[in-house]
Each structure stands twice: as structure tokens, then as C-alpha cells.
Amino acid sequence: MAAILELRGVSKHYPAHRAVHEVSLEVETGAFYSILGPSGCGKTTTLRLIAGFEDPDHGEILLDGRPLQNIPPFERPVNTVFQRYALFPHLTVQGNVEFGLKRRGVDHRAKVAEALEMVHLTGKEQRMPAQLSGGEQQRVALARSLVLEPRVLLLDEPLSALDPALRKSVRAELKTLQRRTGITFVFITHDQEEALSLSDRIAVMNKGEVEQIGSPQDIYLRPATPFVATFLGDVNWIDAATTLGVRPEATSIGRQAPEVAAARVESGRVRNSVFLGHCFHVETETSRGRIVAEAAHAYTPGEAVFVWWNAADEMRFHA
Amino acid sequence: MHRLRAWFLAPARLVNLVCFVLPLCIVLAYSLLSRGVYGGVELPWTFDNYRRLFDPLYAGIFLRSLWIAGLSTALCLVLGSPLAWFTARADRKRRNLYLNLVMIPFWTSFLVRTYAWMFLLRDTGLINTALMSVGLISEPLPLLYNNGAVMLGLVYGYLPFLVLPLYTSLEKIDPSMLEAASDLGAKPSTAFWTVVVPMAKPGMRAGSILVFISCIGTYLTPDLLGGSKTIMIGNVVQNQFTAARDWPFGAACSLVLMGLVMLFLRSDEL
């Protein structure tokens, strides 16, 4: 499939810091593309560059192969769902959703109804944003953008303002919406679980630069850098120089040494066990340092144990 | 709980009673009495004072007051809105500086500032002298003692009353509102009319009310800058209580003025 959106060596530097540095990425048509990274990594600036709220210092942003340079936000066929939704407080739900259509001079009644139905807000047309719950406001923000059928929908941490209980259900809805509409989503998040569960592709950013681009499995199982490995999950570092690591869920633990052939084995003592609901994480002290293993039951602190893992599960990095 | 509330409200109630309700009753009583020979009021009770207000002379003054106050308020809106917007959008440090600049005129008495305008505007004032000395005009321009001078004085004096509440409204508009509008396809000018103006309405309303009410009741500005030609209700009221020694009519005028202001406030709520 062709790339709908392409960033080529895009940089945005501020006097105090490099917000975005030499970022290049390609988003395929119809993809759910996530930009993942800790706060301050430049992901929001990247989104603002695509939306047109900021201009890059270097590099090019292409939409459908055409450079977006000098095209103001109001002429870009790209829409944004803002982190705090940025709904117009003086307009009703209807008013918010038809705002963009009115600017285009499009006949909007049917489209607004359709968009509101899509986000399950039918019947709340005349409510004011302040009368809606956080989840409902978020869906208005979605409808307001989706109704314009953008080439690319940009979502700036849209789930972060929701309470955790709601987050998972909205996450599923988001994915469904994306499939139904076929619109390309560029999703900004700092939550690796969100990115892994939703995305077709993920770009991991750190300190303004892209560390790795790949499928969720790629970046989780085959992280390109120690940063990506630790950002996406827990890592047992087998050596001090962080060139060799293994994930706790790939690490087994037992009182006897394993009889599996391909296993790397270390002996050690249990420090403590942490109950996580679906399993225990048992922290052990070995000659290689601290190693955490996943176990079905708890171990007593001080117990002598063996931990082991398959060579295939090891993550290697260049020093 | 209720007793506590009563105690807390008591001082305000007392002040309100002594300083507003009682004087208002006195003014109402005066307005229904007859004029005393050397000022003051006498019996019998009468409605004549209110009837006199329909005299074209006074009706005209009421209309002129409404017109001058209305136009001054509109001018304040036109001049004050860009200023308030500019201030609200400036960065935090600058904002305080600009707000202080808006407030600086308050450091000097309104009376003194109005006199200063007289010095600028009169026939031998700074403006006319300067224009004549460079030869742009041969006769002094009639800058003082007309409606224009009064409006200038009012706009000058009450502009901050519009800027401050409007600023408060505008400052609350999150920059992301404008980005959202732009994102949804609104040009900056469209975003201004569809997002900024509606969101700034409470501030515009509050500022306009403050300016309009201050303007319609004023007597100092028309007295000094309007001379004998531009008389407003405030001047009529003042005159009746001083030179004309017609307290009942003055009382009637001020009550009608108050009625007008209340009507204006109510019409705004609708």
C-alpha cells in the first residue's frame, strides 16, 4: 500500500531544546499508526507539525505525495482530536460537530446525524459540552473530526484524560471506528499498552528522535535499542552494559535446575515476590545481578532458586 | 446555619438599608412633592414633576443622553476590543505590564484629566495652536463644547472599564480553541467571529454595562467639555438641585434615569 503521509528528515528546534530532530516516517493508507514515547519526547510536536500548528525548521511533510509546506492548518485535509478535546464551550454538540462542515459550506444535517450515531451520541445533539461526561466529550471531539472525512486523523493522547475504567472500552471503540471508517489514524501516546493493542505500526520516539519503527510485535520482541526495550516493558539486564536483556515473562523460575536443552540458567536467591493478579513477579539476586521471573506461585525470600530463559528470547543491543 | 447566614449578611443589609433604600425612599418622596421657594420641598403631593419630563426640552435631553452614552459604549467596544485581545494574547510578563498601562490613568483624578482635555481642545489649546502655527488651519477648530468633545471625554475616561472585564473573558480562551477552529477549516477571521467573539460575550456585556451606566449618569464630562450646548441628564439633575432650586423635579429626573439604567440591565438579561 502507498504511503498517505510521509515525514522526511523533519526537525523542529527551539532555543532551549531539540523538540524534533531528523524524524522520518511513512504512514500507510488506512493504517492505525502510533507515535509512542515518554513526555517531552517530541511526539506532540510531531503531531503539531503534521497538523500545521508549527512549521518545521528542516525537512518535508508530504500528504498524498504533495508537500504540506506553506499550507495553513485550515486548508490541510488533516484533522486533530486534541488532548483536552478543545470543544467549543459556547456551541452545542450539534454546533461542534457541524462546525467544520459549515466552514466548507456542505449540507450537514445528515452527516452530523451519521457521525453522532457512529459515536453513540444520538439524542444528545442539543447538550452543551459542559453537560457531558469526559467520555462523551471525547466522542464529540472524535465525531467533530471524523465528520470531515480527513485524509489523516491525528489523535493527541485522546485517552489520557479519561479515567482508567473507561479507557479500555474507549480504546476498543477507537479501533472499531478506525476499521469502520477506513481513515488513517496517527495516534500519539505515552502508554505502551495502548500503542501495542491498537496499532498496525508504531514509531517509538525519545528525545526528539525516532528510535524504532515497526509492528507492535517487532518493537516489543525485537527492540532496536535498550530505550525501546525498557520503555515497552520490564527487562532483566543480563550484563551491566545493557547489551543483553530478557523480559520477565520469558524468564522461568524453579527450585530445581530445568531439564530444557536450549535454556540459559542462573542460580540465585529470592528477594521477594510481587503479586500482579494473573501471576507473580519473583525478584531474584544472581551472579548476573537482579533478575525478575514470572511464576504461578510465590517464593519465600531467601530461597535458593534457578532462573532460566531461551536464547531465542534474548534481546541483543550494540554497546 | 441559617442564623449564621443572617449574621453574616447583617452588615451588608444595614449598609444597603441606610445608604440605598432609605435615600431612595426620600428621593421618591421628594419627586412627588412641590418645589419650595428657596429649594427644599413642600406639600402638596403632585405628579407634575413627572409630567414635566415629557416637555420636548427634557425628553430631548434624555434622548441625547441615551445616544451619547450608547455611541460612547460602542466606541469603547471598537477601541477596547483589539486592546483587550492584544493584551490577553501577549506573554505572561508583558500582560501585566499592559494591564498596568491600562490602569495608570486611574492614578490621577478624573476631574484633573478632564481639565487636561480642555487644555488640549480649547481654541487656544495645544492642538489648535500647533495646527495654526504650522499653517494647516487659519482659524481654531471648534474642538471643545460639542457632542464630540463629550464623547471623547467619556470614551477616554471609561475605556478601562470595558477593557478589564473583556480582557478577563478573552484571557480564559484556551489557545487550543483557535487551533481547533483552524484545524476544522476556519480561516483566522472566521475563527475570530465564530469562536472568539461568542466566547468573549460575557466580558463584552459586563464591560458595556459598566461603560453605559457610567456614561448615561455622568455630569462632570458634559459640564466641562460640553459647555452649555451639550447637556445630559446628569447636568439637569445637578442643575435642579443647585441653581434652579427645584428639588422635586431633580428627584424625578434622577429616578427616571435610574429606571432607564435598570431597563437597560433587564433588556440585557432577555
Side-chain angles (χ1 to χ4, degrees):
Chain A
M1 269 210 261
I4 189 167
L5 177 72
E6 196 182 342
L7 272 66
R8 285 188 193 153
V10 172
S11 295
K12 178 75 186 173
H13 295 180
Y14 293 109
H17 73 300
R18 300 190 316 187
V20 170
H21 187 67
E22 294 286 325
V23 165
S24 296
L25 50 86
E26 274 183 38
V27 180
E28 284 186 353
T29 310
F32 197 119
Y33 196 104
S34 291
I35 300 180
L36 173 68
S39 61
C41 74
K43 57 192 191 300
T44 294
T45 307
T46 307
L47 173 132
R48 294 174 59 80
L49 288 165
I50 301 170
F53 304 136
E54 313 267 355
D55 293 317
D57 298 327
H58 300 287
E60 266 193 315
I61 300 171
L62 301 124
L63 188 76
D64 290 315
R66 285 190 308 273
L68 283 178
Q69 204 173 4
N70 298 328
I71 299 178
F74 53 88
E75 282 172 8
R76 294 191 183 194
V78 166
N79 289 113
T80 310
V81 175
F82 291 84
Q83 191 169 6
R84 305 237 162 256
Y85 319 138
L87 297 180
F88 302 125
H90 62 291
L91 296 178
T92 58
V93 169
Q94 170 96 19
N96 268 282
V97 177
E98 69 189 6
F99 186 91
L101 292 169
K102 273 189 172 174
R103 305 284 84 75
R104 287 187 190 172
V106 181
D107 174 35
H108 47 263
R109 297 254 160 236
K111 285 201 166 191
V112 170
E114 192 189 327
L116 286 175
E117 202 231 297
M118 203 155 61
V119 296
H120 316 298
L121 280 174
T122 309
K124 304 215 163 158
E125 289 84 352
Q126 298 314 315
R127 299 279 185 94
M128 300 307 277
Q131 298 171 303
L132 301 176
S133 71
E136 287 171 329
Q137 291 183 24
Q138 203 247 15
R139 301 209 298 269
V140 176
L142 266 170
R144 181 172 80 167
S145 295
L146 284 173
V147 76
L148 296 171
E149 293 164 7
R151 294 292 292 149
V152 175
L153 183 70
L154 306 169
L155 303 105
D156 187 6
E157 307 227 17
L159 306 179
S160 65
L162 299 176
D163 57 83
L166 205 56
R167 223 173 279 170
K168 274 197 178 170
S169 69
V170 174
R171 198 158 86 187
E173 268 180 54
L174 211 57
K175 185 76 186 173
T176 316
L177 264 180
Q178 195 262 336
R179 289 225 181 93
R180 253 182 80 184
T181 57
I183 291 173
T184 309
F185 277 29
V186 173
F187 182 85
I188 304 292
T189 182
H190 66 271
D191 184 323
Q192 83 281 7
E193 201 185 312
E194 257 170 46
L196 290 173
S197 61
L198 287 169
S199 319
D200 299 314
R201 254 179 126 63
I202 300 175
V204 184
M205 282 186 77
N206 183 30
K207 291 178 183 160
E209 294 181 58
V210 171
E211 293 255 339
Q212 186 176 5
I213 295 175
S215 69
Q217 290 89 333
D218 277 343
I219 65 158
Y220 188 82
L221 299 172
R222 288 173 292 280
T225 64
F227 171 81
V228 176
T230 42
F231 193 72
L232 280 140
D234 296 331
V235 182
N236 294 319
W237 293 108
I238 312 301
D239 62 350
T242 64
T243 57
L244 187 63
V246 65
R247 297 219 179 269
E249 63 269 27
T251 311
S252 309
I253 185 167
R255 293 190 175 98
Q256 271 87 47
E259 287 160 21
V260 195
R264 312 281 173 102
V265 187
E266 293 292 334
S267 63
R269 282 190 185 280
V270 173
R271 258 207 228 149
N272 65 53
S273 302
V274 181
F275 182 52
L276 298 176
H278 62 288
C279 68
F280 284 89
H281 267 187
V282 183
E283 199 183 316
T284 64
E285 192 61 53
T286 71
S287 60
R288 298 273 200 171
R290 173 185 173 273
I291 289 180
V292 178
E294 207 173 282
H297 55 87
Y299 285 78
T300 330
E303 234 181 304
V305 288
F306 293 92
V307 290
W308 66 91
W309 59 90
N310 285 320
D313 290 329
E314 285 178 348
M315 304 181 287
R316 287 174 184 283
F317 308 100
H318 300 291
Chain B
M1 195 63 209
H2 274 278
R3 281 182 71 179
L4 195 66
R5 196 172 75 172
W7 277 110
F8 272 60
L9 286 175
R13 285 209 171 120
L14 191 70
V15 168
N16 205 350
L17 186 73
V18 174
C19 300
F20 180 69
V21 178
L22 286 178
L24 194 65
C25 291
I26 294 171
V27 173
L28 182 66
Y30 274 23
S31 75
L32 294 169
L33 282 163
S34 304
R35 167 187 185 182
V37 184
Y38 304 107
V41 287
E42 286 174 357
L43 284 169
W45 300 97
T46 174
F47 278 111
D48 276 354
N49 302 309
Y50 288 97
R51 247 171 248 142
R52 259 179 84 192
L53 287 169
F54 290 99
D55 181 321
L57 173 68
Y58 296 111
I61 293 174
F62 267 97
L63 282 178
R64 179 194 289 135
S65 300
L66 283 172
W67 151 251
I68 288 182
L71 197 61
S72 300
T73 307
L75 281 170
C76 280
L77 260 180
V78 170
L79 290 172
S81 301
L83 177 59
W85 176 247
F86 176 74
T87 308
R89 291 297 112 182
D91 65 69
R92 217 159 266 285
K93 272 187 206 158
R94 295 245 151 185
R95 240 184 272 172
N96 285 333
L97 173 71
Y98 296 151
L99 281 178
N100 280 325
L101 288 177
V102 170
M103 309 275 273
I104 276 181
F106 288 130
W107 298 359
T108 315
S109 137
F110 187 50
L111 181 67
V112 172
R113 286 183 283 137
T114 308
Y115 268 115
W117 274 111
M118 289 178 75
F119 277 95
L120 286 172
L121 298 175
R122 67 185 177 183
D123 285 0
T124 54
L126 199 65
I127 296 171
N128 275 321
T129 315
L131 288 176
M132 273 159 64
S133 69
V134 295
L136 274 172
I137 51 170
S138 53
E139 300 231 318
L141 295 171
L143 297 175
L144 200 55
Y145 305 131
N146 51 41
N147 285 351
V150 173
M151 271 190 258
L152 177 73
L154 291 175
V155 170
Y156 163 77
Y158 296 119
L159 188 60
F161 291 114
L162 189 127
V163 171
L164 295 178
L166 183 53
Y167 163 82
T168 315
S169 252
L170 289 173
E171 197 237 17
K172 278 192 217 129
I173 300 178
D174 195 306
S176 70
M177 288 297 144
L178 292 175
E179 285 180 353
S182 181
D183 191 72
L184 295 167
K187 286 192 233 79
S189 58
T190 316
F192 180 78
W193 290 110
T194 54
V195 177
V196 177
V197 172
M199 285 182 75
K201 256 193 188 144
M204 286 186 171
R205 196 172 289 165
S208 302
I209 287 173
L210 281 176
V211 172
F212 184 81
I213 290 175
S214 306
C215 285
I216 198 158
T218 186
Y219 88 93
L220 181 80
T221 314
D223 200 41
L224 295 180
L225 302 179
S228 55
K229 285 184 217 149
T230 299
I231 292 172
M232 290 174 69
I233 318 171
N235 304 100
V236 174
V237 173
Q238 187 227 9
N239 200 36
Q240 298 309 315
F241 277 95
T242 54
R245 288 188 192 164
D246 193 341
W247 292 15
F249 184 58
C253 282
S254 55
L255 280 180
V256 170
L257 171 63
M258 205 178 103
L260 277 176
V261 168
M262 286 168 99
L263 210 69
F264 175 71
L265 283 176
R266 289 307 295 268
S267 75
D268 191 79
E269 278 169 26
L270 300 178

